Amino acid sequence: MGSRRRSTLRVLGCALLITLQLAYIKMAAAENIVGAEIANIERLLDAERYADADSKALLLLEQAYQQQKIPADEFLSLGLLFLNASRFEVSKVVFSAALERYTAKGALSKMALTLLHLATSERHLSNYDSSLAYVHRAMSIAQIERDDTLKARLNLELGTIQQQQGKIEIALEPLKQALGYFRDNNMPSEMSLSLLHIGDLYSTLNQTSLAHTYYRDALESIEKANNRRLLGIIKTRLGALLLKTSSPSQAIQSIESGLKHLDVTKDVGAIAEAKMLLGRAFVEQGDTSKGRKLLQEAMAFAQSSGQLKLMQEGRLALARAYMKEQSFELALAEARTGTIEARKHRDLRDQISFLSLQLNAFVSLGEFKKALDIQSVIQQLREALLDTENKSAIEGLQAEIEVIRQSHTLEKLEESKELALAQAEQEKLQTTLVWSISLAALLFTFLIWSRYKQRQQTIILRREVRQQTLTLQEKNEELQAAYRTLEEVSLRDPLTSLYNRHYLESQLPGEIRRSQFSSNQSTDTNKSKQDLLCLLIDIDHFKRINDDYGHIAGDKVLASFAQVLKHVFRLTDLIIRWGGEEFLVVCRQSNREELPELAERCREMVASTPFDIGLEKPINITCSIGFSLLPPDRKDDFEMAWERTFAVVDYALYAAKLSGRNGWVGVIETLNNNENKRTPIDHKFNFTGSRIATSFNNVASIKWPDNLD
């Protein structure tokens, strides 16, 4: 019996060993498969086949959840691949899977590192609340583990998040702590990155001299480390700073130099940011087509990777490019979208930038009321931004950071003198110690006194700023009221509230120039909406109304007629009280083929509208219309275009009156051939030929004036 039991135990032991061996082999095979899949995903990312890489990663995650055999370190490596490729949404999912595995194992250090990567992904997606939550969780673990290096990296990430939120005064503190640790532990890449972000803060505050200093220090720290990615980023930021202070050509040179370094690293996110800056520089230089192409390319990448901050920068630059090209409607569309996004994320600086662009666009379009309303909003936002910036905190931290920044230079000097001063330091150690303690006590006393004085000055300064802001607001309101009054007096007709000739003379040259430029750019004039249309409208038999009912009745007819015109035409069209019973309409961004339809709609609405003049029954009136493309001949120079166009529409108006009134006659366009029979209007204005439209029976039935002064 004993021998049989021993045999049975031996068999069971062998079976257990075989099972364990098979399980180990199976696990090793699974790890090999996962490694091959991750390598395949990396190749797809390098080839910029992002959709395929995303699908494979998500499929691998699903398999991992089902099998529970993929190590957490593999997830962490995979997440870093997507983070470096700017695929932030997928990187979040992968890092979350790694965090779940590390949490189950209780691996605190790896949990904190994964939380840091999650915070970076959320920051790039502008999810700042989530990003801050991850940083604080990781910081708690770093405190427990007493991992000072991780704490420094978390402080760097925290300062970067607060910088992008616009919290300038509190962003400096964690960046200062990170810079001090990296300097003390001789970590040049991290030290350079900290200096870079501090430079970004001062660039945001438009303190270009300080920003340039920190950028140069960051460049000097990284040159020996051979970190081409960071070197490229710093050079592009220097280029962005040069856009504010120097010529665009210098900025382009710096950004292109940075791009050469970034192309080697294949960091698609940093390359997109550099292209965005390069596009802005080309726009500033005047090469708007090349600049727009780069901006749109960078914005497409930002949209695909979900980087809202980069999208906003692209919208701002693209809107400025459209303003330079005088495409005010396109600029206005980009600025409105940017304002909405900035408002969602409570970014006061971006709101002010986009609203300022809207203000310029409305002024260029002649919509002064909207421009004044936006100016009021900008003033309120600037006051809110002033309240959120604690400049005294910035100045205090600036001095502390300056000490850390310069300490690297001091260390170099100390190293060169170390051997020479070693003996002297030993001999005078006690004396130096006494003097050092005395000097430290004196310095400490001085610092306490200076902080107290600085606080007192800050309180006084805030009080003065508030008072000056109130005074400025009152003056601004007075100026706006005066401006509105002046506009009403000088640019509008008091009876009809329509614009007068002075307004038309100020707006028309720019409109003609824009229309001719857009027409030259467009290849299909039949489909484009870049024409200017001119209609001269006259109330039929208006003298009889004054003679039969009196001038007060005539004034009521004129005021009501103006309201009818406002219903017929668009808000963007220029409606002018030309004089007496004549009204002039200039339609912007229209097509010449719309002229007959506009004229007929105006004639029909006037004829069908009863006009109340204070009697028991209203009266009915009609109108006659002459119209033309403005200018009728595209070869006309814009200085002569208006004079000739008005002569054409005036001639056409008289033809409509002679042909029976309550109708319209006009020129849709002039022709470059004389295949058609020339009409009297062609002979009078020396047209080779023209395309005439009329509401009367046909062109042959029009009675043309024999002579028109």
Side-chain angles (χ1 to χ4, degrees):
M1 280 299 282
S3 60
R4 287 183 180 179
R5 284 183 181 175
R6 284 195 293 272
S7 299
T8 304
L9 290 173
R10 287 195 189 105
V11 170
L12 291 174
C14 291
L16 181 60
L17 288 173
I18 292 170
T19 303
L20 291 173
Q21 186 67 24
L22 288 173
Y24 177 79
I25 293 170
K26 190 175 181 180
M27 186 178 296
E31 289 182 2
N32 290 334
I33 293 171
V34 171
E37 286 293 325
I38 291 176
N40 187 27
I41 291 171
E42 185 174 8
R43 284 193 292 272
L44 290 173
L45 290 173
D46 289 339
E48 298 184 9
R49 293 171 57 186
Y50 298 122
D52 293 339
D54 293 350
S55 299
K56 281 191 174 293
L58 295 175
L59 181 60
L60 184 62
L61 279 177
E62 187 62 30
Q63 293 172 352
Y65 279 123
Q66 292 176 1
Q67 299 173 5
Q68 293 291 324
K69 292 178 181 177
I70 300 178
D73 290 344
E74 298 289 349
F75 284 134
L76 187 61
S77 300
L78 183 61
L80 288 172
L81 286 177
F82 281 97
L83 181 63
N84 294 333
S86 297
R87 306 300 296 172
F88 303 113
E89 288 290 354
V90 180
S91 70
K92 279 170 50 182
V93 177
V94 179
F95 285 137
S96 297
L99 181 62
E100 183 178 339
R101 295 289 176 89
Y102 287 135
T103 304
K105 291 181 178 181
L108 291 178
S109 297
K110 290 295 183 71
M111 285 172 59
L113 185 60
T114 308
L115 287 167
L116 172 58
H117 295 320
L118 275 168
T120 303
S121 298
E122 293 284 18
R123 169 171 58 82
H124 281 291
L125 294 170
S126 299
N127 299 329
Y128 299 122
D129 291 340
S130 299
S131 185
L132 286 171
Y134 285 130
V135 168
H136 292 315
R137 285 172 61 187
M139 189 66 80
S140 299
I141 296 173
Q143 294 283 2
I144 294 170
E145 294 289 291
R146 298 181 180 178
D147 189 339
D148 292 335
T149 302
L150 181 58
K151 282 196 283 188
R153 293 179 63 187
L154 287 167
N155 274 323
L156 178 58
E157 180 64 30
L158 179 60
T160 307
I161 295 167
Q162 291 167 340
Q163 168 208 338
Q164 293 187 6
Q165 285 183 297
K167 299 177 180 179
I168 308 299
E169 70 280 2
I170 62 174
L172 276 170
E173 175 61 29
L175 289 175
K176 177 206 71 172
Q177 293 181 13
L179 175 60
Y181 179 84
F182 295 139
R183 180 194 60 80
D184 293 340
N185 290 274
N186 193 24
M187 302 170 68
S189 295
E190 290 79 1
M191 179 180 172
S192 178
L193 192 58
S194 302
L195 290 166
L196 172 66
H197 285 301
I198 294 170
D200 289 341
L201 287 175
Y202 287 116
S203 178
T204 303
L205 293 172
N206 291 319
Q207 296 186 23
T208 53
S209 177
L210 273 172
H212 186 268
T213 299
Y214 282 99
Y215 285 152
R216 295 303 303 178
D217 285 352
L219 192 62
E220 181 182 346
S221 298
I222 201 61
E223 281 178 337
K224 295 179 181 178
N226 196 27
N227 187 333
R228 299 198 68 175
R229 174 185 173 277
L230 197 49
L231 189 63
I233 292 174
I234 295 169
K235 287 194 174 184
T236 57
R237 298 286 173 82
L238 278 169
L241 197 63
L242 286 170
L243 272 179
K244 297 181 179 181
T245 57
S246 305
S247 63
S249 58
Q250 292 178 312
I252 290 171
Q253 184 178 0
S254 179
I255 297 169
E256 287 180 338
S257 174
L259 257 176
K260 289 180 181 178
H261 292 288
L262 292 173
D263 285 335
V264 175
T265 66
K266 296 183 180 180
D267 186 335
V268 289
I271 289 170
E273 291 183 23
K275 285 183 178 179
M276 183 79 73
L277 291 172
L278 190 58
R280 282 176 49 199
F282 278 124
V283 169
E284 289 294 326
Q285 195 180 42
D287 194 348
T288 51
S289 61
K290 190 172 182 180
R292 270 194 294 107
K293 182 178 179 182
L294 285 167
L295 290 173
Q296 288 165 348
E297 183 179 342
M299 285 180 68
F301 174 82
Q303 190 170 20
S304 68
S305 59
Q307 296 185 73
L308 177 65
K309 195 72 177 176
L310 192 59
M311 277 289 294
Q312 287 291 82
E313 292 174 5
R315 285 195 184 100
L316 193 62
L318 200 56
R320 287 171 178 162
Y322 286 136
M323 287 294 294
K324 280 185 173 289
E325 293 177 334
Q326 296 188 352
S327 299
F328 303 122
E329 294 290 351
L330 294 174
L332 198 57
E334 292 291 345
R336 281 172 172 162
T337 305
T339 304
I340 292 169
E341 289 297 329
R343 197 169 291 147
K344 283 181 184 176
H345 292 82
R346 300 188 295 276
D347 191 328
L348 295 180
R349 294 181 188 279
D350 275 2
Q351 286 185 59
I352 291 170
S353 299
F354 283 112
L355 285 171
S356 298
L357 274 172
Q358 287 192 51
L359 173 65
N360 294 335
F362 280 128
V363 170
S364 300
L365 290 170
E367 299 186 24
F368 298 107
K369 186 177 184 305
K370 292 181 179 178
L372 288 172
D373 292 339
I374 287 179
Q375 176 62 40
S376 176
V377 177
I378 291 173
Q379 179 67 24
Q380 294 173 7
L381 289 174
R382 282 177 177 160
E383 291 173 5
L385 185 61
L386 183 64
D387 290 339
T388 60
E389 291 179 346
N390 187 341
K391 293 189 176 180
S392 62
I394 294 174
E395 291 171 357
L397 290 171
Q398 175 184 328
E400 296 173 359
I401 294 174
E402 190 68 16
V403 170
I404 296 171
R405 185 187 67 80
Q406 293 178 356
S407 62
H408 187 61
T409 304
L410 292 175
E411 283 180 353
K412 291 180 179 179
L413 292 174
E414 288 173 359
E415 287 174 4
S416 63
K417 297 178 180 179
E418 185 175 358
L419 294 175
L421 296 177
Q423 186 176 1
E425 286 178 352
Q426 289 178 357
E427 294 175 354
K428 299 180 180 180
L429 181 59
Q430 291 182 348
T431 306
T432 303
L433 184 60
V434 173
W435 279 106
S436 297
I437 293 172
S438 302
L439 184 61
L442 183 62
L443 181 61
F444 182 72
T445 305
F446 174 74
L447 285 174
I448 293 175
W449 179 82
S450 62
R451 281 295 180 93
Y452 171 76
K453 295 297 293 182
Q454 187 181 45
R455 182 177 178 81
Q456 294 298 111
Q457 291 174 359
T458 301
I459 293 171
I460 296 171
L461 181 61
R462 283 180 178 173
R463 190 181 300 122
E464 292 178 355
V465 166
R466 289 195 187 95
Q467 185 61 41
Q468 290 294 329
T469 302
L470 290 173
T471 305
L472 181 62
Q473 185 176 359
E474 292 174 0
K475 294 292 183 183
N476 191 26
E477 290 173 355
E478 293 175 4
L479 184 62
Q480 289 178 3
Y483 181 81
R484 293 192 192 98
T485 303
L486 180 62
E487 181 190 39
E488 293 296 324
V489 170
S490 62
L491 300 178
R492 290 192 180 272
D493 173 57
L495 176 62
T496 63
S497 296
L498 298 176
Y499 288 117
N500 58 23
R501 293 191 183 193
H502 296 297
Y503 180 79
L504 183 69
E505 290 167 358
S506 67
Q507 293 293 309
L508 203 56
E511 291 295 334
I512 295 174
R513 187 184 293 109
R514 182 200 59 77
S515 177
Q516 289 183 329
F517 174 80
S518 299
S519 178
N520 292 334
Q521 299 295 315
S522 177
T523 57
D524 190 349
T525 56
N526 292 327
K527 294 182 179 180
S528 68
K529 284 269 189 179
Q530 303 299 335
D531 292 330
L532 282 177
L533 313 179
C534 183
L535 300 93
L536 186 61
I537 307 167
D538 184 89
I539 301 175
D540 294 332
H541 302 300
F542 183 73
K543 186 174 182 302
R544 291 182 188 174
I545 298 173
N546 282 334
D547 293 342
D548 294 345
Y549 303 107
H551 288 283
I552 294 176
D555 289 346
K556 289 183 178 180
V557 169
L558 290 172
S560 299
F561 191 82
Q563 294 301 315
V564 172
L565 293 182
K566 288 181 180 179
H567 283 91
V568 173
F569 296 98
R570 302 171 301 183
L571 292 174
T572 55
D573 297 333
L574 302 178
I575 307 176
I576 309 297
R577 169 86 184 280
W578 191 249
E581 66 272 23
E582 286 187 338
F583 296 81
L584 185 74
V585 180
V586 176
C587 300
R588 300 184 282 194
Q589 292 186 331
S590 301
N591 188 285
R592 62 194 73 181
E593 302 300 332
E594 299 173 359
L595 275 166
E597 180 185 346
L598 286 171
E600 176 58 24
R601 189 164 66 199
C602 180
R603 184 204 67 76
E604 183 180 356
M605 186 166 285
V606 171
S608 61
T609 300
F611 286 79
D612 184 8
I613 58 173
L615 300 178
E616 291 182 3
K617 294 183 178 180
I619 65 172
N620 293 316
I621 64 173
T622 60
C623 67
S624 300
I625 305 169
F627 60 76
S628 169
L629 183 68
L630 197 171
D633 190 347
R634 285 292 182 186
K635 296 179 181 178
D636 285 348
D637 189 70
F638 76 88
E639 283 85 358
M640 300 297 296
W642 167 237
E643 183 178 347
R644 190 175 191 190
T645 302
F646 184 77
V648 171
V649 296
D650 201 29
Y651 189 77
L653 173 63
Y654 272 82
K657 286 183 172 292
L658 289 175
S659 301
R661 292 184 171 84
N662 191 23
W664 41 267
V665 175
V667 178
I668 296 179
E669 63 180 351
T670 57
L671 305 172
N672 294 327
N673 57 66
N674 54 3
E675 295 178 2
N676 298 329
K677 184 178 178 181
R678 298 181 72 195
T679 62
I681 200 168
D682 297 329
H683 290 290
K684 180 169 183 63
F685 295 102
N686 198 25
F687 295 150
T688 307
S690 62
R691 185 151 59 99
I692 307 296
T694 180
S695 63
F696 300 106
N697 292 333
N698 50 49
V699 176
S701 65
I702 300 173
K703 294 182 180 180
W704 299 99
D706 295 332
N707 185 29
L708 181 63
D709 293 334

